[in-house]
Amino acid sequence: EEGRPPTLWLDRACIDQSRIADSLPCLPVFVAGCKTLLVLAGPTYASRLWCVMELFTFMAMSADSHRICVVPLAAGESEGARREARQQLLASFDRFDAAHARCFLPQDRAALLSVIESTLQLDEFNRWVRSVFRERSRRTSGASAVPVEPSEEPSQLLEPSELEPAGEPPGGGSDEVV
């Protein structure tokens, strides 16, 4: 559509994980430059407050929920196990409550809850997040979750330090943020 391949900005790879506090003030700028927010949501996504704040930041910057795509990732050895994992993941979306979401650092949790409460009441925020999960999740029938096979070889997984951060493409921001 833009005459060039899409650019992908990965938060985990593009934010210096050893200096997160220095990079996070730039998060709204990174997110604002993205055309689409692609959320690859695993079983803990709805319990991690930073992840949900990226969703909230994107929505606050773009005000267009149609630019959000939530893809539930379901792990399991069989179709039945993946189906069950997917159902549990979608149920976790429906139960989302920021008051129960976690952050690695307690001070981050307090700061994020303060940001939320300066914008919306917590119950309004929770309803908004649940509605985004409900409306923007790739909800296909049956066992059609995106299968995630556990790797037997941890060395097959890339570490964030092995990925090169994406530079800004000509003419604007990234196409997607994860």
Side-chain angles (χ1 to χ4, degrees), residues 17-39:
Q17 298 297 298
S18 65
R19 298 179 48 196
I20 292 175
D22 295 338
S23 299
L24 286 176
C26 298
L27 182 62
V29 175
F30 297 146
V31 171
C34 297
K35 294 178 186 170
T36 303
L37 177 72
L38 172 63
V39 176

Side-chain angles (χ1 to χ4, degrees), residues 69-109:
C69 178
V70 179
V71 179
L73 302 177
E77 297 295 322
S78 67
E79 286 295 317
R82 284 191 292 277
R83 183 180 302 114
E84 177 64 27
R86 184 172 193 275
Q87 289 170 344
Q88 289 175 6
L89 178 59
L90 294 175
S92 77
F93 291 169
D94 291 336
R95 291 187 311 268
F96 173 79
D97 186 345
H100 300 292
R102 303 179 315 267
C103 288
F104 183 74
L105 299 174
Q107 62 268 28
D108 285 354
R109 185 174 182 279

